[in-house]
Amino acid sequence: MSKLNPTIVAPLVRGLFIDSGGLPVVVAPAAGQAVGQSSGAKAAPGLALALTETCFATDGSLDEVKVAAGLKAAFAAAGGHTQAAGFVLGGSSVTVTVRLGSETLALSVSVLSGALRSVSDHVGMANSAAGRSAVVAGKVALVTGGAQGFGAEIVRGLASSGAFVYIADLNLAGAASLAAELNAGAPCPVACALSLNVGDEASVSAMFDAVASTTGGLDLVVSNAGVLKASSVLDQDEKSFRFVTDVNYTGFFFMVKHAGQLLRRQWRTAPSWMTDIVQINSKSGLQGSNKNGAYAGSKFGSIGLVQSFALEFVQYGIKVNAICPGNFFDGPLWSDPDRGLFVQYMNSGKVPGAKTVADVKAYYEAKVPMGRGTTGADVMRAV
Ligand SMILES: NC(=O)c1ccc[n+]([C@@H]2O[C@H](COP(=O)([O-])OP(=O)(O)OC[C@H]3O[C@@H](n4cnc5c(N)ncnc54)[C@H](O)[C@@H]3O)[C@@H](O)[C@H]2O)c1
């Protein structure tokens, strides 16, 4: 393997350009068309950044702190700040060649068109909420469990607001199908499917390596994948309790650990750039849920993780927050005609006197002051 590991170098280069240009960029392998970049994008003159052999840790791997310092010095010496600001606002792409001894790594840096739009949208709008969606325009986002349900709604909302979105899911076929649908109507790729099992640390780590090598990093991680196995505590077996805990609680820990390592890497060269990790929690993370303890416990526990990780990550410019939606009655979790919660609750007698799916739905809607469930748009607004 090359000593110039792109999973270390590309995020640090991304940070350099963000820091100088003030806008998110995509840093991709120089060969081929970068994601989010139209084929006709003009290329600016290249930038060469030389590192020294002192960038290694004692075990022979690249030391990201030393590489960051080396890249910052080389960038300044090459007049990178002026070039980066000009190219970012000009909307072109630039090739950056990083050299270490006899090895080189060529990267292509480009700006998503949404980022430039957000600049013009924001002119004269300092205190206005009118350009609210510009908050994500041109940014790179990742949504776990993005193939269906709330995740798919968030993916659609981010893409239509001008973000580039990774759709990461156990159901790769579903994620790929949504990515293909979004890309079909766009002038350049706006979505990319990734295979992920949030309960498996190796899978989470490999996914963030793929992100680092494809776009040089990201700005927003929405940790949405979650599962539910409702049962009385008297009957629930250990396997189903652990399954819910592994995905909803331990899986969130894996996500934040590996997202945090990548976001901190970008922060080393872009110390003023704020990034976000948002967990889609639940109202069951704030209030107990009868015969649903495994789920509520995993969500309550995740609030503790969110608050603790937020305290630790603020020093790296990473915000960690949770959104606690109410029931999403229109999503497959509730509405699936065979396995959905409406059918399950009707058959199990959980709702006293309910004989039809409509009875179960009316029972839950009556618990909400607005008389309705949560929609994808509600959650997207919160994101
Ligand atoms: N549906 C609701 O009423 C509701 C209410 C409040 C909160 N939530 C929360 O919102 C989130 C999404 O819920 P939903 O109803 O849209 O779920 P859903 O079951 O409709 O979709 C979940 C998605 O996550 C994927 N997934 C499951 N396990 C995974 C794993 N180990 N790794 C990667 N991907 C995995 C699935 O393939 C699926 O695409 C969950 O965290 C859930 O707890 C849901």
Side-chain angles (χ1 to χ4, degrees):
M1 189 181 167
S2 165
K3 285 191 281 184
L4 279 170
N5 182 353
T7 66
I8 305 280
V9 178
L12 293 169
V13 169
R14 184 170 195 257
L16 288 173
F17 277 80
I18 289 175
D19 196 50
S20 294
L23 288 178
V25 296
V26 167
V27 177
Q33 185 189 342
V35 297
Q37 184 189 328
S38 61
S39 49
K42 40 190 172 67
L47 199 64
L49 305 176
L51 292 170
T52 65
E53 294 288 343
T54 54
C55 286
F56 295 101
T58 42
D59 66 357
S61 63
L62 273 185
D63 178 326
E64 72 178 48
V65 176
K66 291 179 180 166
V67 178
L71 284 174
K72 274 197 233 176
F75 192 70
H81 296 291
T82 322
Q83 260 214 52
F87 123 83
V88 164
L89 291 170
S92 55
S93 68
V94 64
T95 301
V96 174
T97 308
V98 180
R99 189 177 301 281
L100 178 60
S102 59
E103 288 196 34
T104 56
L105 175 68
L107 299 165
S108 167
V109 185
S110 54
V111 189
L112 295 173
S113 56
L116 297 168
R117 243 193 356 255
S118 87
V119 173
S120 55
D121 285 355
H122 268 111
V123 173
M125 277 193 181
N127 287 328
S128 163
R132 190 75 191 117
S133 70
V135 145
V136 290
K139 290 192 174 167
V140 180
L142 181 144
V143 182
T144 70
Q148 70 168 47
F150 272 147
E153 298 279 319
I154 297 166
V155 166
R156 288 178 191 282
L158 290 170
S160 68
S161 303
F164 177 84
V165 195
Y166 289 103
I167 309 169
D169 205 295
L170 203 53
N171 173 6
L172 181 60
S177 147
L178 179 54
E181 181 200 318
L182 295 170
N183 288 333
C188 56
V190 294
C192 171
L194 294 172
S195 172
L196 169 72
N197 178 359
V198 295
D200 172 5
E201 183 167 11
S203 168
V204 175
S205 168
M207 179 191 69
F208 281 109
D209 281 352
V211 168
S213 308
T214 309
T215 48
L218 74 178
D219 306 293
L220 165 66
V221 174
V222 182
S223 183
N224 162 80
V227 293
L228 183 150
K229 291 240 181 225
S231 173
S232 156
V233 60
L234 301 172
D235 304 325
Q236 186 155 40
D237 59 36
E238 181 183 344
K239 194 171 161 214
S240 76
F241 183 87
R242 284 196 190 278
F243 170 68
V244 174
T245 309
D246 284 351
V247 175
N248 295 1
Y249 182 74
T250 313
F252 178 59
F253 155 70
F254 291 148
M255 280 297 297
V256 176
K257 175 176 172 183
H258 292 278
Q261 288 175 358
L262 177 52
L263 295 172
R264 182 179 61 174
R265 199 167 296 149
Q266 290 174 181
W267 162 86
R268 293 196 191 283
T269 45
S272 311
W273 186 249
M274 301 295 287
T275 53
D276 284 271
I277 298 173
V278 177
Q279 192 208 32
I280 305 303
N281 197 287
S282 171
K283 67 174 172 41
S284 302
L286 303 171
Q287 187 176 47
S289 181
N290 189 17
K291 297 191 178 171
N292 197 16
Y295 180 75
S298 70
K299 294 293 187 179
F300 265 74
S302 291
I303 296 284
L305 297 182
V306 165
Q307 293 186 358
S308 305
F309 298 156
L311 290 170
E312 179 178 349
F313 278 12
V314 67
Q315 64 186 309
Y316 308 124
I318 308 167
K319 291 173 276 159
V320 188
N321 285 286
I323 294 170
C324 298
N327 298 326
F328 181 26
F329 295 135
D330 298 331
L333 182 78
W334 284 85
S335 287
D336 185 283
D338 302 317
R339 295 179 307 142
L341 293 178
F342 285 136
V343 176
Q344 284 186 42
Y345 291 170
M346 181 182 71
N347 293 337
S348 70
K350 181 171 170 173
V351 176
K355 295 192 173 52
T356 64
V357 159
D359 292 340
V360 181
K361 190 174 183 191
Y363 171 83
Y364 281 100
E365 282 175 342
K367 289 172 175 265
V368 186
M370 282 179 106
R372 67 163 177 86
T374 304
T375 64
D378 294 328
V379 177
M380 183 54 211
R381 272 186 215 114
V383 169

